[in-house]
Amino acid sequence: RKCEPLVADESDRVARRELDQLVRRVADAEQPGAARLGARLHAAAKYGDAAAVMRLAGEGASADAKDEHGTPAVVEAAFEGHTEAVEALLRLGCDPNAPQPGNMNVNGWTALMKAAYNGRAAVAAQLVEAGADATLRATGGDYEGMTALEIADEKGYFEIAALLSQVSVAEY
């Protein structure tokens, strides 16, 4: 049988519904009761669904929600380059300097470090504007002792390094 193509509005609704279902499945799989709201907000941020982040915060989820490993939502959103989700979290008052807890090679990383590592210039600029501390250093792993500026420079993301060098000088 022949399938009719979806018009843009229909495909947008289908994509949003599928993303919302994915966020619920990811969050609900491991979280009991009230913790589900925070887990859903974290998953929404990770997958870039800023509307869901705002909705879940309105329902009582914290902008500083963490996943089962203790990673803040803003760190995940920054790593993935989801500017709208990062903006939503920042507007909701998340801590832009909240560190990711230690595990294999990202001990003490902040959202700014993750943005610098992954070349997310727009996210790095958002975080700096929101007051992220460019002088913080990773506390372990492969980049132990390095700032976001040093990480960006080592990775070859010179646009981010230039932004952070201006901020770092001002913060000292």
Side-chain angles (χ1 to χ4, degrees):
R1 101 183 161 171
K2 184 177 178 184
C3 293
E4 293 296 316
L6 295 174
V7 295
D9 290 350
E10 289 178 68
S11 65
D12 289 345
R13 282 194 302 270
V14 168
R16 176 154 300 284
R17 186 172 48 248
E18 287 175 357
L19 180 60
D20 193 48
Q21 290 170 351
L22 175 64
V23 165
R24 279 198 167 96
R25 277 196 310 271
V26 167
D28 292 351
E30 299 178 5
Q31 299 294 325
R36 286 183 180 173
L37 273 181
R40 285 180 180 170
L41 183 138
H42 187 280
K46 180 177 181 174
Y47 294 110
D49 191 345
V53 167
M54 296 300 288
R55 185 185 78 248
L56 290 162
E59 293 174 17
S62 169
D64 287 316
K66 296 174 174 62
D67 68 7
E68 67 276 8
H69 304 292
T71 303
V74 70
V75 170
E76 289 284 6
F79 180 75
E80 298 295 339
H82 297 309
T83 56
E84 291 178 3
V86 169
E87 180 64 29
L89 291 164
L90 292 170
R91 278 188 292 161
L92 291 166
C94 78
D95 178 1
N97 296 311
Q100 181 172 358
N103 67 27
M104 296 192 314
N105 53 2
V106 289
N107 297 334
W109 282 41
T110 64
L112 187 57
M113 291 173 196
K114 287 284 195 160
Y117 178 83
N118 229 20
R120 310 297 191 185
V123 171
Q126 285 177 298
L127 292 164
V128 165
E129 188 174 318
D133 185 348
T135 66
L136 295 176
R137 296 182 178 277
T139 57
D142 295 341
Y143 293 85
E144 182 174 3
M146 294 178 78
T147 65
L149 166 60
E150 293 164 334
I151 293 167
D153 191 50
E154 183 167 305
K155 296 288 289 177
Y157 296 120
F158 302 116
E159 178 184 357
I160 297 171
L163 167 74
L164 297 177
S165 67
Q166 294 171 356
V167 174
S168 294
V169 168
E171 288 183 357
Y172 280 116

